[in-house]
Amino acid sequence: MRNAVQTSRRRGNMDTFSARSIRALLLAGVAAPLLVATPALAQSAAVDEEPVNDIVVTGSRIVGDGYSAPTPVAVLGEADIAAQAPANISDFVNQLPAIAGSGTSGNSSGGLSNAGAGINSIGLRGLGVGRTLVLVDGQRSVASTVGGTVDINTIPQDLVKRVEVITGGASAAYGSDAVGGVVNFILDTGYEGVKLGVDTGLSTYGDAYNYRFTGTAGFSLLDDRLHLLTNVSYFKQTREEGINRDWNDSGYFQINNPAYDGTNGAPQRLVGSGIGPAGYTAGGLISSGPLRGTYFLGEGQTAQLTYGTVSSPWMIGGDWQTTLDGHLGTNTLVPLDERLSLFQRAGFEITPDIEIFGQFSYNRSVSASSYQQTPSTGVSIAADNAYLLSQYPAVAAAMAAQGLSSITVGTSNAGFPIPGSNIKREVYRGVVGAKGQFDMFEKAMNWDVYYQKGVTKAREELTNTWLNSRMALAQDAVFDGTGNIVCRSTLTNPGNGCVPIDRLGTDGPSQEALNYIYNDGNQPLRHQTIKQDVAAATISGKAFALPAGDLAFATGVEWRREQIDGSVDPQYNSGWLYGNFRVNQGKYDVYEGFLELDVPIFDGMNVNAAARGTHYSTSGWVGTWKVGANWQAIDSLRLRGNISHDIRAPNLEELFAAGTARTNSVIIPTGADAPQTGSLQFVQNAFGNRNLKPEVADSWTLGAVFEPTFLPGFSLSFDYYSIRIKDAIGSITAQQTVDLCYEQGISSYCPNIHFVNGQLSTIDLTPINFARQKTSGFDIEASYAVPVGPGTLRLHGQTTHYIKNVVDDGISFPIDYAGVLTSGTYASPNWVYRLSAFYDIDPVSFNLVARGFTDGVYGNDWIECDGDCPVSTAQYRTINDNSIKGATYFDASVDFKFPAMGGVGHLTFIVNNLLNKDPVLVGNGPDGNNVPAYAQTNRSRYDVIGRTFRMSAKVEF
């Protein structure tokens, strides 16, 4: 498997690959099999792959000759992948219209405390990544995070023959997680020949640079009884700090309208430009008292902030650019991503009917990114602070004149390095097994047994994260009586090692002070090991003859164990700005048995049915099933439908999370019955729940495939889907907890909000089986191939219409996320489309892609108005502009084929986002202290990089 072995030049004690080791592994991986069997290469490279009669379509375990599954399957083939030569295959697969709610290494850079940074994931139907099952050749792969997410980077991209996406429930076929569907990466394990490749990419702005080297060798020995396959690849993407794009400079956010009072007809929410924070500046802003509005610049320099209209924590107008300066766009635009991967497979035919095989993959990845230039509010500076007295005597004099013993400052901490993460993951996956055929009652039977062991070792280290206790001591700096600046605590405890820090002004603190608050380089660190064991045995074939044909079946048993363990030094358990890691420990076992039947009813009509019984060591027995049918009504028209009963079991994180804490902020509404109101920082604690049970889904699909005999080469399909989930596992956010308690008056959530001495301290979040979700829509897919002039024109179009995607937590009110274009797990556009055109005129192939989505909203129940608005409620919020524009992007490529070294070479030039279309501005907010640091758009949906150029060169012989 490829992709997940990223390394980087690493900070702290994170190591990196040397150029020599990379070259050695590349050469060794490709050359080792060549040394064994060079004579076989010339003969095998030029031979076209033999057609395979027995195939297994994703969504079924039955082996057949051209079998058509009753559930729709979307396919991305080698030509589609090669035409764009993606830096990683997940970015390409995420273009499929049926995929919504996925994660990328770019938009996961905020996953510090949960160590999710750097992950590329796939989610179907806007149901969340956890409800999409990712397979490799029909087998599960070990997760890269405790949340069960499979990092798509761990799949060997250059061996992917096609990607099959089944957009319907498939738990009866594959077990838990296949609620939204399955994404199955089919590898070309029978490849013979040698291919070498290199590709590189760069944005039109000169950043987002990446490159990749890959080599593959496969050949047969011993009269084709032994087949060996090796692939090795190396990828590196350089880091681009800060969102340095003009479109991100307008201060476009969503805030609570300061003019709204519930009776004057004003909208409650405002979105627009010219908005900035009201509570801090880069060098510090006095935020209360008679000196409110004084802000600190370089040494000895201050200024008076011109406030706009304030709606905590924001303001409209005034010196909004001043307050944004230093915090704006400090999230990483492109993370450092370095991967090294090795894949090897050996298969040996003991007899013509029995093959044994072994497969091993290793992926090492290093990802590094910055989260945000974290702002601090409520920083207390005493009147005798040495830096205040020595650098800003005028402010100190004004304090004395006003009789102030301290001032309260908000700062985005100019001169402090940006907090982030360095995460190294090593993913090992080994599979050994055997498969073959035998005859029973004069019927051919297929059998397959295998054992898989997967291990992910993660080293999760945060960077530039201060220890709160040290910061509190260091910022309380005074003179010691001899003119030296020291920590106040040092006066009574001279040996405490405290180093004073200057939190005023834009010049930044000393390196010695930074070393002290960052715990002398000892940053929050956690080691986690995720293990997955799978053993399975399957038999399939044709049982007996029926009047309309043979009854086909597949049956099997499976065992799986998932476990998590690790280690954390106790000093990293609590007291940090971010991280506060704890050891996640736990495991569960799964025992399963399944039976699938394909019954021919009459000529052209088949019924497919499957049932699976599953026992979880954590929650007991559960059953899943499906029934589907195919009917070839006429030569040109096939009808298909499927109903299924599926499950998703809680993952390791949902069950066993030990209580990782992170710093965040919420807004407690003015007038609430709470010790504090306004925008407040707190510590968010996330715990697991061992009493969770599997969530249950009932889904059905109904569709048709039209392939008219009067138009050869044309195919059109339509499939409607409906999925209903109950007992859905989820956690409400901290802001939702506050809203439920103080805005909607649901008192059961108030105990999760903790105040200490009148100050907001912590908010606890725990997953429970509490929600329902209903989603429905339809997919349309069409393709056409026809000779045009001297070449062939191939057209392919896919679109998905999300009719509804309603989440009902059973506590407040249902929310429909279909058509919502803000960030979020369940948000999805109403229409998503991808159109691709190839024109092949040997030896050149041209490709043009149009992809995009339609306009959307901030909330389907929200009311757009700009005067004479009704009273705003939590469900029916009023907003000045509830519209968000969609986007269409164009990609183009041209591929040149040429003879090379006795084989075939390809040189491909690709331009993505051909027109360099800027993202649509999306007003993020109003809560969350990281909003200004992030892109002023939905980077999960819109392209934030801009036009990119790629070039790929490959040779195969």
Side-chain angles (χ1 to χ4, degrees):
M1 299 181 69
R2 117 160 223 162
N3 276 21
V5 192
Q6 314 145 287
T7 37
S8 68
R9 70 189 184 195
R10 316 229 355 213
R11 299 182 185 178
N13 53 6
M14 301 282 287
D15 54 357
T16 184
F17 301 126
S18 68
R20 180 177 299 175
S21 65
I22 294 167
R23 288 195 301 268
L25 185 51
L26 282 167
L27 292 173
V30 175
L34 302 183
L35 295 175
V36 179
T38 302
L41 291 177
Q43 146 182 359
S44 61
V47 177
D48 292 333
E49 188 174 333
E50 291 293 327
V52 179
N53 293 323
D54 288 339
I55 62 172
V56 179
V57 176
T58 301
S60 173
R61 296 298 188 96
I62 291 177
V63 178
D65 182 4
Y67 176 79
S68 295
T71 47
V73 179
V75 178
L76 285 174
E78 284 181 290
D80 298 286
I81 299 170
Q84 291 200 0
N88 69 73
I89 198 168
S90 65
D91 288 345
F92 178 63
V93 175
N94 278 322
Q95 294 181 11
L96 284 175
I99 291 177
S102 303
T104 68
S105 59
N107 65 31
S108 63
S109 58
L112 302 186
S113 299
N114 66 2
I119 292 291
N120 281 276
S121 58
I122 291 178
L124 282 164
R125 300 297 192 205
L127 295 174
V129 170
R131 297 188 180 113
T132 297
L133 179 60
V134 175
L135 302 175
V136 180
D137 284 333
Q139 300 170 351
R140 289 177 180 264
S141 187
V142 63
S144 293
T145 71
V146 67
T149 303
V150 174
D151 188 357
I152 306 305
N153 292 330
T154 63
I155 295 170
Q157 177 171 326
D158 291 280
L159 288 177
V160 174
K161 182 162 56 177
R162 65 185 185 275
V163 182
E164 295 182 348
V165 180
I166 176 172
T167 50
S171 292
Y174 297 109
S176 177
D177 303 335
V179 171
V182 175
V183 180
N184 190 11
F185 292 84
I186 308 297
L187 305 184
D188 189 4
T189 55
Y191 175 79
E192 295 194 5
V194 174
K195 54 183 175 182
L196 304 172
V198 58
D199 56 68
T200 185
L202 184 73
S203 84
T204 195
Y205 302 100
D207 53 25
Y209 174 63
N210 60 74
Y211 57 89
R212 186 169 64 101
F213 301 100
T214 181
T216 302
F219 48 84
S220 296
L221 298 170
L222 305 178
D223 297 325
D224 293 337
R225 294 174 61 195
L226 174 65
H227 183 262
L228 302 177
L229 178 65
T230 295
N231 171 259
V232 61
S233 66
Y234 171 77
F235 171 83
K236 183 172 184 179
Q237 175 178 270
T238 60
R239 182 172 177 172
E240 180 63 23
E241 287 293 358
I243 304 170
N244 302 313
R245 298 291 189 266
D246 291 343
W247 51 262
N248 201 53
D249 294 337
S250 68
Y252 195 90
F253 302 105
Q254 178 185 162
I255 68 170
N256 288 316
N257 185 1
Y260 174 77
D261 67 7
T263 63
N264 61 0
Q268 183 188 18
R269 292 281 174 88
L270 291 179
V271 291
S273 298
I275 297 172
Y280 54 85
T281 62
L285 169 70
I286 301 177
S287 55
S288 61
L291 301 183
R292 177 176 179 264
T294 300
Y295 64 94
F296 299 90
L297 298 166
E299 183 173 346
Q301 298 176 306
T302 62
Q304 188 66 31
L305 186 73
T306 299
Y307 281 94
T309 306
V310 175
S311 175
S312 181
W314 303 94
M315 68 181 185
I316 307 171
D319 292 335
W320 63 271
Q321 291 170 309
T322 298
T323 58
L324 278 177
D325 185 40
H327 191 202
L328 178 68
T330 50
N331 183 244
T332 298
L333 177 66
V334 181
L336 173 71
D337 192 1
E338 192 172 8
R339 307 191 295 263
L340 183 64
S341 63
L342 174 67
F343 176 93
Q344 293 193 321
R345 188 182 191 278
F348 180 69
E349 290 186 2
I350 299 176
T351 72
D353 293 327
I354 299 176
E355 179 193 10
I356 58 174
F357 63 89
Q359 183 173 300
F360 173 77
S361 63
Y362 169 76
N363 304 267
R364 185 180 180 188
S365 70
V366 173
S367 61
S369 60
S370 297
Y371 173 40
Q372 65 159 331
Q373 185 69 61
T374 305
S376 303
T377 57
V379 177
S380 180
I381 302 296
D384 61 349
N385 183 280
Y387 296 108
L388 175 70
L389 293 171
S390 61
Q391 297 177 10
Y392 303 98
V395 177
M399 290 177 62
Q402 295 287 341
L404 300 177
S405 60
S406 65
I407 52 175
T408 300
V409 171
T411 175
S412 55
N413 297 303
F416 286 67
I418 303 174
S421 64
N422 276 334
I423 298 180
K424 181 179 77 173
R425 297 184 182 91
E426 293 181 287
V427 181
Y428 306 80
R429 183 174 182 261
V431 184
V432 293
K435 58 184 178 180
Q437 294 181 331
F438 66 93
D439 290 334
M440 186 170 66
F441 306 119
E442 299 183 349
K443 300 288 185 181
M445 299 291 167
N446 298 280
W447 59 272
D448 185 324
V449 296
Y450 74 90
Y451 169 74
Q452 172 191 302
K453 178 74 173 183
V455 178
T456 296
K457 295 183 177 180
R459 183 184 188 277
E460 304 158 357
E461 181 184 31
L462 301 193
T463 58
N464 306 321
T465 297
W466 65 63
L467 189 58
N468 293 328
S469 59
R470 287 197 172 193
M471 175 62 89
L473 294 176
Q475 72 186 26
D476 191 11
V478 296
F479 287 110
D480 66 356
T482 63
N484 296 316
I485 300 177
V486 298
C487 302
R488 191 186 304 273
S489 61
T490 303
L491 298 178
T492 55
N493 184 10
N496 69 352
C498 182
V499 179
I501 195 166
D502 183 4
R503 299 208 70 180
L504 300 175
T506 55
D507 294 336
S510 68
Q511 186 60 51
E512 292 76 15
L514 291 174
N515 291 343
Y516 174 71
I517 65 169
Y518 295 143
N519 199 35
D520 302 314
N522 298 308
Q523 292 283 277
L525 174 65
R526 175 170 60 188
H527 293 273
Q528 290 201 116
T529 300
I530 302 168
K531 295 181 180 180
Q532 181 188 72
D533 295 86
V534 181
T538 303
I539 295 177
S540 64
K542 295 178 179 179
F544 51 84
L546 294 174
D550 290 333
L551 182 145
F553 77 96
T555 186
V557 293
E558 298 178 8
W559 167 81
R560 176 163 52 95
R561 171 172 290 172
E562 306 274 359
Q563 55 187 320
I564 177 71
D565 202 350
S567 62
V568 178
D569 190 307
Q571 68 172 312
Y572 303 130
N573 290 161
S574 62
W576 297 83
L577 178 65
Y578 302 115
N580 301 300
F581 291 137
R582 298 185 184 182
V583 178
N584 297 311
Q585 292 178 312
K587 68 177 181 179
Y588 63 85
D589 291 332
V590 186
Y591 299 88
E592 303 183 271
F594 72 90
L595 172 66
E596 181 180 0
L597 300 175
D598 185 66
V599 184
I601 305 301
F602 53 81
D603 188 24
M605 174 71 170
N606 281 55
V607 173
N608 178 269
R612 175 180 290 258
T614 304
H615 182 270
Y616 289 91
S617 60
T618 52
S619 55
W621 283 98
V622 65
T624 57
W625 54 265
K626 71 167 184 174
V627 178
N630 267 298
W631 178 32
Q632 192 75 43
I634 58 177
D635 288 344
S636 300
L637 180 65
R638 179 164 59 92
L639 305 178
R640 61 190 179 191
N642 188 77
I643 60 174
S644 66
H645 182 74
D646 305 288
I647 64 161
R648 183 184 79 86
N651 59 47
L652 292 168
E653 181 176 41
E654 291 165 335
L655 289 168
F656 306 117
T660 297
R662 57 164 295 204
T663 302
N664 205 343
S665 69
V666 293
I667 299 174
I668 298 181
T670 301
D673 184 16
Q676 273 184 303
T677 62
S679 178
L680 307 171
Q681 288 191 344
F682 70 101
V683 174
Q684 176 176 300
N685 291 318
F687 299 92
N689 180 358
R690 301 193 181 203
N691 295 318
L692 290 171
K693 60 183 180 180
E695 56 188 29
V696 178
D698 292 297
S699 65
W700 62 276
T701 62
L702 184 63
V705 180
F706 181 55
E707 297 175 307
T709 55
F710 60 82
L711 189 60
F714 178 78
S715 176
L716 173 67
S717 67
F718 174 93
D719 291 281
Y720 175 87
Y721 69 88
S722 175
I723 303 172
R724 293 172 176 259
I725 305 171
K726 66 178 183 179
D727 295 327
I729 300 167
S731 298
I732 63 172
T733 67
Q735 185 63 52
Q736 287 174 316
T737 303
V738 167
D739 292 344
L740 288 168
C741 175
Y742 296 115
E743 189 175 20
Q744 300 179 47
I746 302 176
S747 59
S748 59
Y749 280 83
C750 298
N752 294 329
I753 306 170
H754 305 283
F755 293 86
V756 176
N757 298 324
Q759 304 292 310
L760 180 61
S761 174
T762 59
I763 297 178
D764 297 334
L765 307 178
T766 303
I768 55 176
N769 293 98
F770 72 106
R772 292 176 178 266
Q773 187 166 357
K774 296 183 293 184
T775 183
S776 64
F778 57 79
D779 304 311
I780 301 173
E781 184 169 359
S783 60
Y784 183 50
V786 61
V788 175
T792 301
L793 177 66
R794 293 180 288 128
L795 304 175
H796 186 205
Q798 297 166 294
T799 184
T800 293
H801 177 38
Y802 293 88
I803 297 174
K804 66 179 180 181
N805 189 10
V806 179
V807 177
D808 185 355
D809 59 19
I811 303 164
S812 53
F813 52 85
I815 301 174
D816 185 1
Y817 289 96
V820 173
L821 292 185
T822 57
S823 300
T825 299
Y826 308 117
S828 56
N830 281 123
W831 290 88
V832 189
Y833 51 87
R834 185 180 190 273
L835 309 173
S836 176
F838 283 90
Y839 185 64
D840 304 318
I841 177 170
D842 199 49
V844 183
S845 179
F846 301 91
N847 176 238
L848 179 66
V849 173
R851 54 185 171 88
F853 49 92
T854 55
D855 298 351
V857 296
Y858 287 91
N860 280 304
D861 290 336
W862 291 20
I863 301 168
E864 181 176 318
C865 55
D866 200 13
D868 197 24
C869 297
V871 175
S872 185
T873 66
Q875 181 173 5
Y876 301 104
R877 292 196 189 277
T878 53
I879 186 170
N880 67 317
D881 184 359
N882 194 33
S883 63
I884 304 175
K885 291 291 186 183
T888 299
Y889 299 100
F890 293 94
D891 308 322
S893 69
V894 56
D895 176 78
F896 299 93
K897 184 169 63 174
F898 57 91
M901 297 187 292
V904 176
H906 288 267
L907 186 62
T908 309
F909 299 93
I910 310 104
V911 183
N912 292 322
N913 192 356
L914 184 66
L915 303 181
N916 195 30
K917 188 179 184 68
D918 288 342
V920 171
L921 297 182
V922 176
N924 298 313
D927 58 286
N929 72 351
N930 57 7
V931 171
Y934 276 51
Q936 293 167 37
T937 187
N938 174 3
R939 69 184 299 170
S940 299
R941 183 59 62 184
Y942 296 92
D943 183 352
V944 299
I945 304 299
R947 182 192 298 119
T948 57
F949 302 93
R950 297 193 58 74
M951 183 176 68
S952 173
K954 294 181 180 178
V955 61
E956 185 172 3
F957 54 92

Short mmCIF file of all heavy atoms in Angstrom, two decimals, residues 464-473 516-519 522-524 571-572 574-578 580:
data_model
loop_
_atom_site.label_atom_id
_atom_site.label_comp_id
_atom_site.label_asym_id
_atom_site.label_seq_id
_atom_site.Cartn_x
_atom_site.Cartn_y
_atom_site.Cartn_z
N ASN A 464 5.07 24.25 19.89
CA ASN A 464 4.79 25.63 20.31
C ASN A 464 3.53 25.73 21.16
O ASN A 464 2.71 26.64 21.00
CB ASN A 464 4.68 26.55 19.08
CG ASN A 464 5.90 26.46 18.19
OD1 ASN A 464 7.03 26.37 18.67
ND2 ASN A 464 5.67 26.46 16.89
N THR A 465 3.37 24.79 22.06
CA THR A 465 2.23 24.76 22.98
C THR A 465 2.74 25.01 24.39
O THR A 465 3.59 24.28 24.88
CB THR A 465 1.51 23.40 22.91
OG1 THR A 465 0.98 23.23 21.60
CG2 THR A 465 0.40 23.31 23.93
N TRP A 466 2.23 26.08 25.00
CA TRP A 466 2.79 26.43 26.31
C TRP A 466 2.11 25.70 27.45
O TRP A 466 0.96 25.27 27.35
CB TRP A 466 2.77 27.93 26.54
CG TRP A 466 1.43 28.61 26.64
CD1 TRP A 466 0.46 28.42 27.56
CD2 TRP A 466 0.96 29.66 25.78
NE1 TRP A 466 -0.60 29.26 27.33
CE2 TRP A 466 -0.32 30.04 26.24
CE3 TRP A 466 1.49 30.32 24.67
CZ2 TRP A 466 -1.07 31.04 25.64
CZ3 TRP A 466 0.74 31.31 24.06
CH2 TRP A 466 -0.52 31.67 24.55
N LEU A 467 2.86 25.59 28.52
CA LEU A 467 2.36 25.03 29.78
C LEU A 467 1.71 26.17 30.54
O LEU A 467 2.35 27.17 30.86
CB LEU A 467 3.53 24.41 30.56
CG LEU A 467 3.22 23.59 31.81
CD1 LEU A 467 2.29 22.42 31.49
CD2 LEU A 467 4.52 23.07 32.42
N ASN A 468 0.43 26.05 30.84
CA ASN A 468 -0.33 27.16 31.41
C ASN A 468 0.27 27.67 32.72
O ASN A 468 0.30 28.88 32.96
CB ASN A 468 -1.78 26.74 31.63
CG ASN A 468 -2.51 26.48 30.32
OD1 ASN A 468 -2.22 27.11 29.30
ND2 ASN A 468 -3.45 25.54 30.34
N SER A 469 0.72 26.77 33.55
CA SER A 469 1.27 27.19 34.84
C SER A 469 2.54 28.01 34.66
O SER A 469 2.76 29.00 35.38
CB SER A 469 1.55 25.96 35.72
OG SER A 469 2.47 25.08 35.08
N ARG A 470 3.35 27.63 33.70
CA ARG A 470 4.57 28.40 33.45
C ARG A 470 4.24 29.76 32.84
O ARG A 470 4.90 30.76 33.16
CB ARG A 470 5.51 27.62 32.53
CG ARG A 470 6.20 26.44 33.22
CD ARG A 470 7.39 25.96 32.42
NE ARG A 470 8.17 24.96 33.13
CZ ARG A 470 9.38 24.55 32.78
NH1 ARG A 470 9.96 25.06 31.68
NH2 ARG A 470 10.03 23.65 33.49
N MET A 471 3.26 29.80 31.95
CA MET A 471 2.88 31.09 31.40
C MET A 471 2.37 32.02 32.48
O MET A 471 2.70 33.23 32.50
CB MET A 471 1.82 30.89 30.31
CG MET A 471 1.26 32.19 29.75
SD MET A 471 2.50 33.24 28.92
CE MET A 471 2.39 32.59 27.27
N ALA A 472 1.57 31.50 33.40
CA ALA A 472 1.04 32.34 34.48
C ALA A 472 2.15 32.92 35.34
O ALA A 472 2.11 34.09 35.74
CB ALA A 472 0.07 31.52 35.33
N LEU A 473 3.16 32.12 35.62
CA LEU A 473 4.29 32.61 36.42
C LEU A 473 5.14 33.59 35.62
O LEU A 473 5.56 34.64 36.14
CB LEU A 473 5.16 31.44 36.88
CG LEU A 473 4.54 30.44 37.87
CD1 LEU A 473 5.51 29.30 38.13
CD2 LEU A 473 4.17 31.13 39.17
N TYR A 516 11.15 28.62 28.17
CA TYR A 516 10.59 28.31 29.49
C TYR A 516 9.11 27.92 29.38
O TYR A 516 8.69 26.88 29.90
CB TYR A 516 10.76 29.50 30.43
CG TYR A 516 10.08 29.30 31.76
CD1 TYR A 516 10.56 28.40 32.69
CD2 TYR A 516 8.92 30.02 32.08
CE1 TYR A 516 9.92 28.21 33.91
CE2 TYR A 516 8.27 29.84 33.29
CZ TYR A 516 8.77 28.93 34.20
OH TYR A 516 8.13 28.74 35.41
N ILE A 517 8.29 28.76 28.72
CA ILE A 517 6.86 28.45 28.67
C ILE A 517 6.59 27.22 27.83
O ILE A 517 5.58 26.53 28.03
CB ILE A 517 6.03 29.64 28.16
CG1 ILE A 517 6.37 29.97 26.70
CG2 ILE A 517 6.19 30.84 29.07
CD1 ILE A 517 5.40 30.95 26.06
N TYR A 518 7.49 26.91 26.88
CA TYR A 518 7.32 25.70 26.08
C TYR A 518 8.01 24.50 26.72
O TYR A 518 8.31 23.50 26.05
CB TYR A 518 7.86 25.92 24.66
CG TYR A 518 7.07 26.95 23.87
CD1 TYR A 518 7.72 27.82 22.99
CD2 TYR A 518 5.70 27.07 24.01
CE1 TYR A 518 7.00 28.78 22.27
CE2 TYR A 518 4.99 28.02 23.30
CZ TYR A 518 5.64 28.87 22.44
OH TYR A 518 4.94 29.81 21.73
N ASN A 519 8.24 24.61 28.02
CA ASN A 519 8.72 23.48 28.82
C ASN A 519 10.06 22.96 28.32
O ASN A 519 10.31 21.76 28.27
CB ASN A 519 7.68 22.35 28.81
CG ASN A 519 7.87 21.37 29.94
OD1 ASN A 519 8.26 21.75 31.04
ND2 ASN A 519 7.59 20.10 29.68
N ASN A 522 10.10 20.24 25.71
CA ASN A 522 9.36 19.02 25.99
C ASN A 522 7.87 19.30 25.81
O ASN A 522 7.19 19.81 26.70
CB ASN A 522 9.64 18.53 27.41
CG ASN A 522 11.10 18.18 27.62
OD1 ASN A 522 11.66 17.41 26.84
ND2 ASN A 522 11.72 18.75 28.64
N GLN A 523 7.37 18.98 24.63
CA GLN A 523 6.01 19.31 24.25
C GLN A 523 5.08 18.10 24.42
O GLN A 523 5.54 16.95 24.47
CB GLN A 523 6.01 19.78 22.80
CG GLN A 523 6.71 21.12 22.58
CD GLN A 523 5.86 22.28 23.03
OE1 GLN A 523 5.00 22.76 22.31
NE2 GLN A 523 6.08 22.76 24.25
N PRO A 524 3.77 18.37 24.51
CA PRO A 524 2.83 17.25 24.66
C PRO A 524 3.06 16.17 23.61
O PRO A 524 3.10 16.44 22.42
CB PRO A 524 1.47 17.93 24.48
CG PRO A 524 1.68 19.33 24.96
CD PRO A 524 3.08 19.67 24.54
N GLN A 571 3.16 14.08 32.73
CA GLN A 571 3.27 15.54 32.69
C GLN A 571 2.46 16.14 31.54
O GLN A 571 2.18 17.33 31.54
CB GLN A 571 4.73 15.96 32.56
CG GLN A 571 5.38 15.62 31.23
CD GLN A 571 6.76 16.22 31.06
OE1 GLN A 571 6.96 17.41 31.31
NE2 GLN A 571 7.72 15.38 30.68
N TYR A 572 2.08 15.29 30.57
CA TYR A 572 1.31 15.79 29.42
C TYR A 572 -0.19 15.56 29.56
O TYR A 572 -0.94 15.80 28.62
CB TYR A 572 1.81 15.14 28.13
CG TYR A 572 3.29 15.34 27.87
CD1 TYR A 572 4.11 14.26 27.56
CD2 TYR A 572 3.86 16.61 27.97
CE1 TYR A 572 5.47 14.44 27.34
CE2 TYR A 572 5.22 16.79 27.75
CZ TYR A 572 6.02 15.70 27.44
OH TYR A 572 7.36 15.88 27.21
N SER A 574 -2.36 17.11 31.62
CA SER A 574 -3.19 18.29 31.87
C SER A 574 -2.30 19.52 32.01
O SER A 574 -1.08 19.41 32.18
CB SER A 574 -4.02 18.10 33.15
OG SER A 574 -3.18 17.93 34.28
N GLY A 575 -2.94 20.67 31.91
CA GLY A 575 -2.25 21.93 32.16
C GLY A 575 -1.67 22.61 30.94
O GLY A 575 -1.00 23.63 31.08
N TRP A 576 -1.96 22.09 29.74
CA TRP A 576 -1.39 22.64 28.52
C TRP A 576 -2.45 23.41 27.73
O TRP A 576 -3.65 23.14 27.85
CB TRP A 576 -0.82 21.52 27.65
CG TRP A 576 0.31 20.79 28.31
CD1 TRP A 576 0.23 19.77 29.20
CD2 TRP A 576 1.70 21.05 28.14
NE1 TRP A 576 1.47 19.37 29.60
CE2 TRP A 576 2.41 20.14 28.96
CE3 TRP A 576 2.44 21.96 27.36
CZ2 TRP A 576 3.79 20.11 29.03
CZ3 TRP A 576 3.82 21.91 27.43
CH2 TRP A 576 4.49 21.01 28.25
N LEU A 577 -1.97 24.34 26.91
CA LEU A 577 -2.88 25.09 26.06
C LEU A 577 -3.64 24.14 25.14
O LEU A 577 -4.86 24.26 24.97
CB LEU A 577 -2.10 26.11 25.23
CG LEU A 577 -2.91 26.95 24.24
CD1 LEU A 577 -3.88 27.86 24.98
CD2 LEU A 577 -1.98 27.77 23.34
N TYR A 578 -2.95 23.20 24.53
CA TYR A 578 -3.55 22.15 23.73
C TYR A 578 -2.94 20.83 24.14
O TYR A 578 -1.95 20.78 24.87
CB TYR A 578 -3.30 22.38 22.23
CG TYR A 578 -3.82 23.69 21.69
CD1 TYR A 578 -2.94 24.66 21.21
CD2 TYR A 578 -5.17 23.97 21.66
CE1 TYR A 578 -3.40 25.87 20.71
CE2 TYR A 578 -5.64 25.17 21.17
CZ TYR A 578 -4.76 26.12 20.70
OH TYR A 578 -5.23 27.30 20.22
N ASN A 580 -2.95 17.93 26.28
CA ASN A 580 -3.49 17.30 27.48
C ASN A 580 -3.83 15.84 27.20
O ASN A 580 -4.93 15.37 27.47
CB ASN A 580 -4.70 18.07 27.99
CG ASN A 580 -4.36 19.52 28.30
OD1 ASN A 580 -3.51 19.81 29.14
ND2 ASN A 580 -4.99 20.46 27.58
#
